[in-house]
């Protein structure tokens, strides 16, 4: 799996890899990367079945973890990278750290916990994926027409924006960037936490960043997190939801401390 990736910053600066979440892509991180690029060589991969990376019928945390470990090895960086992962990217990073504890110089997990989330917690994913699976671009001749048709069916602007960011035009036709079938087939796995290894606790400091207004990561999760990550630290970003993009300062402070 050869992952597509973007870069910002001076390659002579310390490398920092940012892993996006479900429905995301490297381009979502560009505003944050622009800030972090003052101090880091920022590397932004598209995870499999997302963005410009290849599609595959397999989409598990095991496969995502193998992709990232191989990706880092192929980069042949001059030093171990700093790594941060948001949501699905955060779970991928946690499993990567448990499998290869020395893979990162420092790491941060953004608004996700190593736990099984109840179905209602991600209740918008399946309907949105089902909508995308049945949606036809055939009658749409422009981006504005695509947006107009979607807005007639999807009333929440936030969900519309998620869909809009996952549409591209190729050879005159519109298509989905994400692999809808694979994500639907593996959605239950993505909301769960069933690592395929007998995990030894991660022996290094690890930062968990949560959004104050998000319910993905709470204080109640901390005891279970410390079973796997005993040196975990927790930071809460005021007035932030799960879609955290105002985190550059928190990452910079932790990684350069």
């Amino acid at each position: 799996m050869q992952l597509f990736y973007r870069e910002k910053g001076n390659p002579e600066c310390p490398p920092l890899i940012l892993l996006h979440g479900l429905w995301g892509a490297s381009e979502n991180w560009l505003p944050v990367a622009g800030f972090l690029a003052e101090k880091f060589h920022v590397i932004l991969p598209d995870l499999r079945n997302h963005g410009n990376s290849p599609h595959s019928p397999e989409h598990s945390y095991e496969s995502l973890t193998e992709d990232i470990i191989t990706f880092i090895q192929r980069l042949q960086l001059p030093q171990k990278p700093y790594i941060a992962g948001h949501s699905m990217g955060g779970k991928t990073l946690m499993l990567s750290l448990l499998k290869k504890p020395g893979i990162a110089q420092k790491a941060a997990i953004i608004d996700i916990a190593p736990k099984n989330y109840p179905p209602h917690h991600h209740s918008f994913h399946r309907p949105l994926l089902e909508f995308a699976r049945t949606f036809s671009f055939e009658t749409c001749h422009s981006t504005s027409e695509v947006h107009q048709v979607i807005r007639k069916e999807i009333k929440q602007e936030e969900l519309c924006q998620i869909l809009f960011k996952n549409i591209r035009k190729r050879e005159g036709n519109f298509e989905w960037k994400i692999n809808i079938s694979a994500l639907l087939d593996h959605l239950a796995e993505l909301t769960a936490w069933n690592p395929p290894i007998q995990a030894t606790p991660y022996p290094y400091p690890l930062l968990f960043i949560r959004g104050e207004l998000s319910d993905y990561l709470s204080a109640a999760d901390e005891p279970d997190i410390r079973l796997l990550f005993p040196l975990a630290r927790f930071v809460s970003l005021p007035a932030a939801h799960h879609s955290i993009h105002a985190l550059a300062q928190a990452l910079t402070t932790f990684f350069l401390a």
Side-chain angles (χ1 to χ4, degrees), residues 40-58:
F40 297 98
H41 172 208
V42 186
I43 302 168
L44 308 163
D46 288 346
L47 301 182
R48 65 166 57 202
N49 296 317
H50 288 73
N52 293 313
S53 281
H55 286 189
S56 166
E58 178 60 33

Side-chain angles (χ1 to χ4, degrees), residues 79-98:
Q79 64 185 85
K80 288 181 182 180
Y82 299 90
I83 313 177
H86 174 243
S87 198
M88 180 184 73
K91 280 191 172 181
T92 300
L93 177 53
M94 283 188 280
L95 184 55
S96 300
L97 296 172
L98 292 172

Side-chain angles (χ1 to χ4, degrees), residues 61-62 95 98 193-199 228:
Y61 284 116
E62 178 73 4
L95 184 55
L98 292 172
W193 173 257
N194 298 301
I197 60 171
Q198 187 65 38
L228 291 174

Side-chain angles (χ1 to χ4, degrees), residues 151-167:
R151 281 196 170 102
K152 286 181 179 179
E153 300 293 330
I154 306 293
K155 304 305 181 183
Q156 293 176 264
E157 184 61 22
E158 180 183 359
L159 299 184
C160 288
Q161 291 299 323
I162 290 174
L163 293 172
F164 297 163
K165 290 175 182 177
N166 280 281
I167 296 170

Side-chain angles (χ1 to χ4, degrees), residues 200-222:
T200 300
Y202 182 66
Y204 305 112
L206 181 64
L207 180 67
F208 282 79
I209 303 174
R210 59 178 165 234
E212 182 185 42
L213 304 180
S214 171
D215 60 354
Y216 278 72
L217 176 61
S218 70
D221 297 319
E222 293 184 16

